[in-house]
Amino acid sequence: MPFKLPKPFLLLLGIILVLNLFQAHFTELIFDEAYYWHYAQNMAWGYFDHPPMVALLVKISSFFFKGELGIRFMGCLLSVATIIVLWLLVDGDEKRKYIPHFFVLVFSMTLLNAYGFFTLPDTPLLFFTALFLLIYKKFIQNPSYLWGAVLGVVMAALMYSKYHAVLVILFVLLSNLRLVANKFAWLAVIVALFCYIPHFVWLYENDFVSIKYHLYERPNGAYDFEKYTLGFLINLVAIFGLTFPWIYKALFKTKSSDLFVKALLYLTYGVLLFFFLSSFNRRVQTQWIIVVSIPMAVLVFQQMLTDAPIRKWIYRTGIATILILLFLRIGLIYKPFFPIYYETHGNRQWVSELKSEIGDIPVIFENSYRNAPMYAFYSGNPTFSLNNYMYRRNQYSIDDSEQKIQGKKVLYVSKYMNEGDLSFTKVDGAHYNAKYISNFESFRKLEVIAEQRVHNLNDGKEHFFKVYNPYDIEIDLKKLKFSIAYLNDYKQVKDLKSLPTNRVPENISVLKPNDTINFAFMFPKPKIENPGYFRIGISENNLPYGLNGKNIKLE
């Protein structure tokens, strides 16, 4: 049955859309957006850090516009679509009396506001979470093959947006365990899994690189209450701005009146509890908990309809928050209005200045998947992030960016060189030196395969590792040097040693395409006491040692 939105609702929605489009056009990119723009230059069913939905949004946007709006256009549309779905999730005609209150509530939620014009993986996550809840509401009211199939498609879209979406699905399921015996719910699961097959295939073909990174490879640190748990609690305030006391009061006053409200409560409390417990292990980023804004917007507005004091205070503090946010949004465009440096400031400037000096040659940034795509976007030049043992793997580790610059004259940019052919300083104060390399050649995709567990560094035994060549060319072994990095229990590199090796057999001088060579080595003594892991890396043509091997547990 078609729905009709009230004219005041459409008017306010149109104002927000125009404002967000204006903001999206005139605000320079943030580094993550440039990175996802890099995704979209090579469309695939998956990427190193995330599923492909954000890349799809960027690609579609580029069909309509150039520049920043060519990245953000679809995000702007999805943000207003999210507001429409939130409105539809609220029951009763009484809500029509409080349309301004609804918009104040939603627009004052800080990250919902920001993702109105930024395009990040959370942008589709928010929309499809809202849509998933709407379809779920229809499903529990009228279970059928149709709603089961639609629910499955939306579940897949959720998972194509961000891996955190599994929490949305899980906590809604936990709110209604009878779904386990519901044939239409199983249809939804089957449809979702079928739709997700292309991403499963991509993960398999890429050695489950995304899953391994998120679950096992991320460096961490010792527990720090201020950084971890207190930081999480501050995030609970930050995502709602000045309205937070009454937002949480409204949440605490909400009782589980039916299956749908129960699902909203389970989703909200489940996500908050999950990341609260996670805060005892690692720092929780603000955007990780943003998904609770969707169920809380519905629960809180439903409470506002019947609770005059809460309605009054959320409206007042919400307007104050919106005024602050609007001022800050101006500051994103016009730097003097923003209280501190932010990454939307000055990127076009430093890129333009560097390009005017070097022309159209490719640029290699050492350890920066942030600077590389930013420079490529604003300059149009090919770039590459050369990741070494002190950094982390990223999309540049698995795509064809390296291949595009092989054998060419490049500019190598690093924060770690003391001098070079030229230097520049970005608006944030970061200083870089750079040098020209006339015939660049790197082999960052060489793979080191070592024993999975080592019990004793001082056992006096020879250990072995293999080097696999995935390239379609022979590699002269004289171009390669090996190192061993020792890491602590939190997977932080604490020591690096060159690694003398014995080639096996001795008469081999090249590593053939798609072939493997075995090496023997003895563990050099580390400076760090009781290292938790080791990792073997390769330096090609005297470049910094790379991330060629996995972290191997020392026992």
Side-chain angles (χ1 to χ4, degrees):
M1 184 175 180
F3 64 89
K4 186 176 181 181
L5 296 172
K7 289 183 179 179
F9 183 97
L10 291 173
L11 175 63
L12 291 172
L13 192 69
I15 292 172
I16 288 177
L17 177 59
V18 171
L19 176 64
N20 286 340
L21 289 172
F22 180 90
Q23 185 89 46
H25 175 68
F26 287 101
T27 305
E28 292 185 25
L29 295 187
I30 62 174
F31 288 108
D32 280 354
E33 287 180 301
Y35 187 45
Y36 304 135
W37 169 82
H38 176 69
Y39 280 11
Q41 305 315 296
N42 293 281
M43 292 301 296
W45 284 104
Y47 297 91
F48 184 91
D49 314 77
H50 294 291
M53 186 65 74
V54 67
L56 178 62
L57 294 183
V58 172
K59 193 68 174 181
I60 296 174
S61 297
S62 70
F63 295 147
F64 296 97
F65 298 98
K66 302 298 181 183
E68 288 86 354
L69 196 55
I71 289 177
R72 296 167 170 158
F73 177 64
M74 285 302 298
C76 292
L77 295 186
L78 278 193
S79 69
V80 296
T82 302
I83 294 174
I84 293 173
V85 177
L86 286 174
W87 176 259
L88 297 177
L89 284 168
V90 179
D91 291 325
D93 292 333
E94 187 74 12
K95 65 183 181 181
R96 291 173 176 262
K97 298 179 182 179
Y98 300 104
I99 292 173
H101 295 75
F102 172 79
F103 276 91
V104 167
L105 170 66
V106 173
F107 202 59
S108 66
M109 293 184 174
T110 56
L111 290 187
L112 278 185
N113 191 305
Y115 290 147
F117 56 92
F118 287 139
T119 294
L120 301 163
D122 301 279
T123 306
L125 175 69
L126 291 169
F127 169 72
F128 286 113
T129 296
L131 187 60
F132 169 72
L133 292 172
L134 180 63
I135 302 302
Y136 174 71
K137 187 176 183 180
K138 302 289 186 182
F139 177 85
I140 57 180
Q141 291 171 348
N142 181 27
S144 66
Y145 287 109
L146 174 62
W147 286 121
V150 174
L151 188 64
V153 172
V154 176
M155 286 164 62
L158 256 177
M159 289 301 300
Y160 272 118
S161 299
K162 197 172 183 179
Y163 295 123
H164 286 164
V166 70
L167 297 177
V168 177
I169 299 169
L170 173 64
F171 289 121
V172 170
L173 171 63
L174 290 176
S175 74
N176 184 7
L177 290 177
R178 291 183 180 180
L179 290 173
V180 174
N182 187 311
K183 63 181 180 180
F184 304 116
W186 279 107
L187 173 64
V189 172
I190 293 170
V191 169
L193 291 174
F194 177 80
C195 292
Y196 212 59
I197 285 175
H199 186 62
F200 285 136
V201 172
W202 182 90
L203 285 171
Y204 175 77
E205 291 176 343
N206 288 273
D207 195 29
F208 297 94
V209 62
S210 305
I211 306 301
K212 289 179 178 179
Y213 171 70
H214 288 298
L215 294 183
Y216 308 116
E217 294 181 7
R218 278 179 178 265
N220 201 0
Y223 176 69
D224 185 313
F225 174 76
E226 290 186 4
K227 285 184 180 179
Y228 292 7
T229 305
L230 181 59
F232 166 77
L233 297 175
I234 292 173
N235 288 339
L236 295 184
V237 174
I239 61 173
F240 297 119
L242 301 177
T243 63
F244 80 92
W246 295 276
I247 291 280
Y248 287 111
K249 183 177 181 181
L251 173 66
F252 297 150
K253 292 183 70 172
T254 301
K255 305 301 179 184
S256 180
S257 56
D258 56 46
L259 275 178
F260 182 66
V261 173
K262 185 179 179 182
L264 298 179
L265 290 171
Y266 266 63
L267 175 54
T268 302
Y269 286 116
V271 169
L272 294 180
L273 179 61
F274 177 86
F275 285 113
F276 172 69
L277 295 176
S278 298
S279 75
F280 291 97
N281 176 257
R282 64 178 62 249
R283 185 173 69 87
V284 176
Q285 298 179 22
T286 310
Q287 68 269 23
W288 292 359
I289 59 174
I290 188 183
V291 73
V292 302
S293 300
I294 299 300
M296 287 184 74
V298 179
L299 293 171
V300 172
F301 185 62
Q302 203 81 56
Q303 190 69 34
M304 289 171 66
L305 297 179
T306 58
D307 193 319
I310 285 180
R311 181 170 66 243
K312 176 183 69 175
W313 281 107
I314 287 180
Y315 190 69
R316 290 177 177 177
T317 55
I319 289 176
T321 300
I322 289 171
L323 292 175
I324 295 171
L325 291 175
L326 290 175
F327 178 81
L328 293 175
R329 285 176 61 154
I330 295 172
L332 292 177
I333 302 172
Y334 184 59
K335 183 176 177 291
F337 276 21
F338 210 78
I340 57 173
Y341 163 80
Y342 189 62
E343 56 192 86
T344 59
H345 303 137
N347 288 308
R348 188 184 287 114
Q349 176 186 336
W350 73 262
V351 170
S352 176
E353 291 174 352
L354 182 58
K355 182 178 172 65
S356 67
E357 186 164 353
I358 69 170
D360 294 329
I361 71 171
V363 181
I364 295 174
F365 291 89
E366 184 180 357
N367 287 357
S368 186
Y369 71 91
R370 292 159 60 88
N371 287 332
M374 188 68 78
Y375 186 85
F377 177 80
Y378 282 116
S379 72
N381 289 14
T383 60
F384 179 55
S385 174
L386 189 93
N387 309 313
N388 68 33
Y389 71 98
M390 290 299 294
Y391 201 48
R392 76 166 179 89
R393 300 177 71 208
N394 48 59
Q395 183 61 25
Y396 289 94
S397 303
I398 63 172
D399 66 18
D400 63 351
S401 300
E402 180 187 51
Q403 179 183 348
K404 292 177 180 179
I405 58 174
Q406 295 285 38
K408 296 183 178 180
K409 180 181 179 180
V410 303
L411 183 74
Y412 186 93
V413 177
S414 175
K415 289 196 298 185
Y416 313 104
M417 290 192 299
N418 294 325
E419 57 184 18
D421 298 316
L422 61 91
S423 63
F424 64 94
T425 302
K426 290 170 54 180
V427 177
D428 62 358
H431 184 75
Y432 298 84
N433 287 307
K435 65 180 180 181
Y436 292 104
I437 300 177
S438 59
N439 184 15
F440 181 77
E441 183 182 47
S442 68
F443 307 116
R444 293 283 116 163
K445 292 183 181 179
L446 287 176
E447 182 181 354
V448 172
I449 305 166
E451 297 178 40
Q452 289 302 298
R453 291 186 182 274
V454 175
H455 296 282
N456 186 356
L457 288 179
N458 302 312
D459 57 11
K461 298 179 181 178
E462 278 195 331
H463 295 268
F464 297 89
F465 68 86
K466 301 176 182 179
V467 176
Y468 170 68
N469 176 14
Y471 297 94
D472 58 3
I473 60 171
E474 290 184 347
I475 298 175
D476 186 346
L477 292 179
K478 292 179 180 178
K479 296 180 179 180
L480 307 183
K481 294 188 296 185
F482 299 92
S483 71
I484 184 167
Y486 291 106
L487 299 81
N488 62 15
D489 289 331
Y490 303 105
K491 300 175 184 175
Q492 300 168 331
V493 175
K494 294 298 181 181
D495 190 18
L496 182 77
K497 300 284 188 183
S498 62
L499 189 63
T501 60
N502 298 311
R503 224 171 36 245
V504 182
E506 289 289 343
N507 60 344
I508 296 177
S509 61
V510 297
L511 179 53
K512 295 181 179 180
N514 301 305
D515 200 2
T516 301
I517 292 182
N518 296 308
F519 290 89
F521 73 98
M522 302 282 288
F523 278 104
K525 184 177 181 181
K527 292 180 181 178
I528 177 178
E529 291 187 12
N530 302 317
Y533 297 84
F534 76 92
R535 182 176 65 223
I536 296 174
I538 299 174
S539 166
E540 65 277 47
N541 299 306
N542 294 315
L543 291 169
Y545 289 104
L547 294 160
N548 307 91
K550 298 176 182 178
N551 297 329
I552 306 299
K553 181 69 175 174
L554 288 165
E555 297 181 351

